[in-house]
Structures are given as structure tokens and as C-alpha cells.
Amino acid sequence: MEAILVSACLRGVPCRFDGRHKASSRTAEEVAGREAVPFCPEVAGGLTTPRRPAELVGGDGHDVLDGTARVVDDTGRDVTAEFVEGARRALAAARRTGCTEALLMPRSPSCGRGTVYDGSFTGESVPGDGVTAALLERNGIAVRPAPGV
């Protein structure tokens, strides 16, 4: 059976920054017939649940991986290292389980694909990818945002 890496919060795991999940019937439909591999890079990187909300500052996830942007929480605490470690662990999980595709949480600083929050903590978004999405893509894993979330 084909495996697909899925943001754990989309599979009902209460691991989001606010301690909730974002499971939906649309996500279940998207992964039907495949082995869903739930993974939360933020928790895997060492962050707690719940935790302070974080956003990308100075660029997107590709820039974070290149060392020119950071991830900070809403108090100004730099959590870049945790996000990068979580991304590395997500890639390892994808490789270990044979995932060639990932369905990730939209706009997230780790999982966002195509758009991410803009770093102002106002709910505005800008074009870009999260740290995990960027690392997965750089390693040949197709990433797409979950629909309707």
C-alpha cells in the first residue's frame, strides 16, 4: 500500500500550538486507500503542546534552511532549531516508510505549502513554504496543502 506523510493534526492528533487538532472528512478522503503516516514536526523537534504560536520571520522555510530567516514565537523566542530538527525528523519518517508525497497543514510555519503566515502575528499570509515542507520538497517528496482547512 502506498504511504503518504500527513500532518498529525489533520489525522486527529491534538498537537497544534493551541492543543487542538484539525481532522476533517476532506483530509480522510484525500488519504483514503493509502497508508497515512501521521507526523508533527513541531512536537518531534522538541516543542510542547500547547505552545506559543510561531511564525517565519525574514523569509520562508527555504530561507530558514539556508540560514537567512528564523522562526520565532509571539514572545520573540527563537524556535528555529526546533523547527529544523522537526523537519529533519519528518524527512527521516517519510524515507523510513516510503512516502513520496505529503499532505500538510496549510499556512503553518512548519507544514505550510504555497502560503505561510507573514511573521506579524496578525493572521495575514504571504507566498512561501514552511520549514518541513521546504525540506521535504528539496528531497523529492511532493508536498501539498490539505484542502478545506
Side-chain angles (χ1 to χ4, degrees):
M1 179 181 290
E2 179 185 346
I4 181 171
L5 191 75
V6 182
S7 294
C9 62
L10 296 172
R11 296 297 290 168
V13 178
C15 58
R16 288 174 38 88
F17 75 94
D18 59 5
R20 297 182 181 172
H21 65 78
K22 282 288 199 171
S24 73
S25 59
R26 293 214 39 207
T27 299
E29 291 169 10
E30 287 289 317
V31 300
R34 295 185 270 183
E35 177 189 351
V37 178
F39 196 88
C40 178
E42 294 173 27
V43 171
L47 297 173
T48 61
T49 303
R51 58 189 165 275
R52 303 299 308 179
E55 294 189 5
L56 297 157
V57 175
D60 76 347
H62 294 279
D63 300 311
V64 169
L65 295 173
D66 293 339
T68 60
R70 301 177 304 132
V71 186
V72 298
D73 72 17
D74 64 348
T75 68
R77 178 177 163 238
D78 189 318
V79 290
T80 304
E82 291 88 340
F83 274 72
V84 171
E85 179 60 24
R88 288 183 183 137
R89 290 180 181 210
L91 176 60
R95 286 179 170 161
R96 185 174 56 253
T97 56
C99 296
T100 59
E101 183 180 5
L103 185 68
L104 303 179
M105 182 66 198
R107 298 173 300 283
S108 161
S110 54
C111 295
R113 172 67 179 102
T115 59
V116 290
Y117 291 114
D118 71 354
S120 67
F121 295 94
T122 61
E124 298 296 317
S125 55
V126 294
D129 296 326
V131 179
T132 297
L135 187 63
L136 293 174
E137 285 196 332
R138 285 183 176 190
N139 285 275
I141 295 173
V143 177
R144 59 191 175 93
V149 181

